[in-house]
Amino acid sequence: MVLSAPPRSAPAPQRPKSTKSTGLKPRRRIKSATRMDAFAPYMYIAPFFALFAVFGLFPTVFTFYVALFDWNPIGGQTFIGLDNFVTLYGDERFWNAMRNTFSIWILSTVPQLLLALFLAQLLNNVRLKFANLFRMTMLVPYITSVVATTIVFASLFGRDYGLINSFLNLFGVQSIDFAANTFASHIMVSTMVLWRWFGYNTLIYLAALQAIPKDIYEAAAIDGAGGFKQFFYVTIPSLRPVIIFTIIVSTIGGLQVFTEPLLLSAPGLTGGAGRQFQTLSLFMYEQGFGNFQFGYGSAIGVTLFALIVVFSVINYLLSRRITSDE
Amino acid sequence: MTTSTPDSVATTPHRPLKRAFAGRVRWWTYAFLFGSVLLSAFPLYWMFVVSTNDSAAVSQTPPTIVPGGNFFVLAEQVFTTVPFVQSLLNSFIVAGSIAISQMILCTLAGFAFAKLEFRGRDPLFIVVLITMMVPTQLAVIPLYMIMSNLEWIDTLQALIVPGMASAFGIFWMRQHLSTVLNNELMQAARIDGCSTWQIYWRIAFPLVRSAGFVLGLLAFVTAWNDFLWPLIVIQSPENYTVQLAIKALQRQYFVDYGLAMSGSFLATIPLLILFIFVGRKMVAGVMDGAFKG
């Protein structure tokens, strides 16, 4: 039902017609205003839907279409059905990018969320001093751009003069060529992701912790639950929705890691000489904008969409099962 | 009144509460938290160290970890190597327009979803929520084609227009409006003859100004730090955003870290200054559930 101003039978009050009045106007104006009011809600939400239709939905659907073509922006397009997908799933470079993406995703997400949970637990104490300082500095990485982050970490992880290798040398450990070694390069990229997001996740967890009613802990303590039991039986189950949320968001983010490997592999797009840290997103960019194979690149995009959907569902089901089996 | 057993029994219920929320803070808690502060701040400090030293200082073993006096030399080099001032200006235009537009459009839509009744409201809101989960970044190839057809390639509006409204922003403003704006107030305004627009502009908007400000901040930061989309769309150096300018400082096969980090540092300063003034609000925003997909 549409809320609208009832027609006023009483004569219009003789208030001064200042612009500050709440809008008392002659009857005719009110009528036209109500007709407008029925449409108003649609007008208010229209900009978003228009923008989304043109720049969100349409490109997304169109990706699926382009993926069915041998589509070169200059040379034209030929319909080839599912050939792009057949080629893609037989392409060793694709599986390599897939392995790298998952390795980097696991290496960044797991320690990041555990660290965030731990720090949130520490921060959740009203007697803590400098609480605001801790919260604020943890958010600084979030406002730092990925480009800047990557440049800094590339220097810290440098083979010859990198601070991390200098530190390792102090203990007699040989310098590691982080960019050349597959596993080491994954650690390097994951560290950048972890650094940027751990504080953000800590704050989300902290907010959820503060929302847990205190009497649940009280009841648990009366039942004889100590700190650890309280953590596993009260804190973790209460945080379940937020944990699921952070896992899904990190998965979506993790499958899209792009800037770090791109900048680390400059000037090429291969993610290291042997593609040792090329992710799926970078592979898509390489095919789409490096080789101008829009069809093949779109097939990678479609595959990424599918992966994200599948993993969001799996994460959701898995997290629900794990936490309800406690 | 006896002060032995009954009294201590009476106080027990309060102890677990204190243990959970107001326990004595152990020294190692501070050790870990200061460790995390160090972890957060050190890379930025290192950025500053490298951008104030000459390359000899940071390529010795062990490298120096104190700032030097070379800042202005490197900064000048940044300004002469890439059109850095123009890039800063472009980034301000892009991020500023997106922030302002999100504040206005998302508050409007959030208001409609929170407080107005219209046919299809709930299904449409579910659509908004679903779009939060769709990573549109993966559709960059068709998006590039659209921009190409609009002849927007290499223009700033190609960066601005797609970000002018967001599903997250609508969700965020709807949450705030439905808690802050009560129906009695709205009805009173209706009876006084307020149109929907007047209710929005005179009552709703002022009430959620601060939530809108936080949304604007988050949108600004996201837009300022965006890299993939500008990289695809922008070609000429005079249209670079700061992120592209820093990337351009990375030389082909050899990275001049002093130069690249001075650029990074200069590009991060505006956000750091912003953060010093509004950091608390941003922390509150994130803790309020400023989830971003």
Side-chain angles (χ1 to χ4, degrees), chain B residues 16-287:
Chain B
L17 182 136
K18 277 187 179 166
R19 207 197 296 155
F21 287 94
R24 199 157 57 83
V25 185
R26 311 287 162 85
W27 66 269
W28 54 261
T29 300
Y30 286 109
F32 272 110
L33 288 174
F34 276 112
S36 75
V37 166
L38 210 63
L39 183 69
S40 306
F42 184 77
L44 290 173
Y45 174 74
W46 178 245
M47 189 156 96
F48 180 65
V49 168
V50 177
S51 51
T52 53
N53 277 302
D54 50 19
S55 54
V58 279
S59 56
Q60 70 199 16
T61 33
T64 181
I65 53 162
V66 289
N70 217 18
F71 178 68
F72 291 102
V73 180
L74 281 167
E76 202 193 321
Q77 235 180 308
V78 169
F79 286 107
T80 51
T81 315
V82 289
F84 202 77
V85 179
Q86 182 66 47
S87 308
L88 276 172
L89 192 67
N90 291 339
S91 277
F92 268 111
I93 294 171
V94 171
S97 321
I98 287 180
I100 291 168
S101 146
Q102 285 222 9
M103 275 190 264
I104 297 168
L105 295 182
C106 294
T107 311
L108 258 177
F111 172 67
F113 280 121
K115 287 293 161 190
L116 303 180
E117 287 181 34
F118 53 97
R119 198 184 273 270
R121 182 181 73 171
D122 296 340
L124 284 172
F125 188 64
I126 288 169
V127 171
V128 172
L129 291 183
I130 290 171
T131 65
M132 278 171 78
M133 295 296 293
V134 181
T136 43
Q137 288 271 313
L138 301 180
V140 286
I141 291 171
L143 197 53
Y144 176 86
M145 295 172 169
I146 293 172
M147 293 301 172
S148 175
N149 280 329
L150 292 171
E151 295 185 353
W152 282 9
I153 299 294
D154 204 21
T155 62
L156 294 186
Q157 71 254 34
L159 303 181
I160 296 170
V161 178
M164 278 171 59
S166 72
F168 163 71
I170 293 176
F171 173 73
W172 170 253
M173 293 316 300
R174 178 186 174 268
Q175 295 301 96
H176 280 273
L177 276 158
S178 46
T179 49
V180 164
L181 180 62
N182 67 40
N183 292 329
E184 288 76 24
L185 188 60
M186 277 186 57
Q187 239 138 29
R190 287 279 186 207
I191 289 163
D192 281 352
C194 263
S195 70
T196 309
W197 173 258
Q198 284 168 324
I199 293 179
Y200 167 74
W201 186 243
R202 297 213 181 130
I203 301 169
F205 193 75
L207 276 174
V208 287
R209 209 182 288 155
S210 126
F213 182 67
V214 172
L215 173 68
L217 280 175
L218 295 170
F220 187 92
V221 171
T222 309
W224 182 275
N225 288 336
D226 192 17
F227 177 66
L228 172 61
W229 185 233
L231 178 71
I232 289 171
V233 171
I234 300 298
Q235 288 153 357
S236 5
E238 66 266 23
N239 290 329
Y240 276 178
T241 61
V242 275
Q243 306 309 330
L244 294 177
I246 315 172
K247 196 230 167 212
L249 288 171
Q250 255 196 333
R251 295 280 164 68
Q252 287 284 290
Y253 290 92
F254 162 78
V255 182
D256 182 346
Y257 280 121
L259 191 62
M261 288 227 227
S262 306
S264 305
F265 186 62
L266 290 170
T268 311
I269 288 176
L271 284 197
L272 280 177
I273 293 173
L274 185 72
F275 191 70
I276 288 168
F277 288 108
V278 296
R280 264 167 191 266
K281 267 187 186 268
M282 274 176 75
V283 169
V286 169
M287 289 192 48

Side-chain angles (χ1 to χ4, degrees), chain A residues 104-260:
Chain A
I104 290 167
W105 168 56
I106 302 264
L107 283 172
S108 62
T109 308
V110 176
Q112 181 194 152
L113 296 184
L114 289 177
L115 180 67
L117 197 56
F118 178 67
L119 289 173
Q121 191 76 10
L122 293 185
L123 280 171
N124 187 29
N125 189 322
V126 289
R127 281 209 213 154
L128 188 75
K129 292 193 174 74
F130 320 116
N132 256 317
L133 172 83
F134 293 131
R135 290 177 195 179
M136 279 183 62
T137 39
M138 277 181 208
L139 208 57
V140 167
Y142 167 74
I143 62 154
T144 311
S145 78
V146 200
V147 184
T149 306
T150 307
I151 291 170
V152 174
F153 278 81
S155 138
L156 289 172
F157 278 103
R159 186 189 58 191
D160 299 321
Y161 309 110
L163 213 56
I164 291 172
N165 272 329
S166 305
F167 186 72
L168 290 177
N169 291 343
L170 287 181
F171 299 96
V173 181
Q174 285 268 303
S175 287
I176 301 167
D177 190 349
F178 282 97
N181 176 302
T182 303
F183 185 67
S185 70
H186 293 183
I187 291 188
M188 174 168 66
V189 174
S190 304
T191 309
M192 300 177 196
V193 177
L194 184 147
W195 182 75
R196 233 169 92 68
W197 292 103
F198 84 91
Y200 184 85
N201 285 309
T202 302
L203 293 180
I204 288 180
Y205 285 150
L206 177 61
L209 281 177
Q210 293 186 341
I212 302 176
K214 289 167 195 177
D215 40 353
I216 300 183
Y217 284 103
E218 219 173 301
I222 289 169
D223 289 347
F228 277 99
K229 278 198 168 172
Q230 285 183 20
F231 182 73
F232 283 107
Y233 290 100
V234 178
T235 309
I236 295 284
S238 311
L239 290 188
R240 196 177 77 189
V242 146
I243 291 176
I244 295 172
F245 172 81
T246 52
I247 291 175
I248 290 175
V249 169
S250 330
T251 307
I252 295 176
L255 288 173
Q256 296 183 73
V257 169
F258 168 78
T259 310
E260 296 90 341

Side-chain angles (χ1 to χ4, degrees), chain A residues 42-43 45-59, chain B residues 161-162 165:
Chain A
Y42 297 104
M43 278 156 49
I45 62 172
F48 167 77
F49 283 98
L51 286 169
F52 178 72
V54 178
F55 300 112
L57 184 65
F58 178 71
Chain B
V161 178

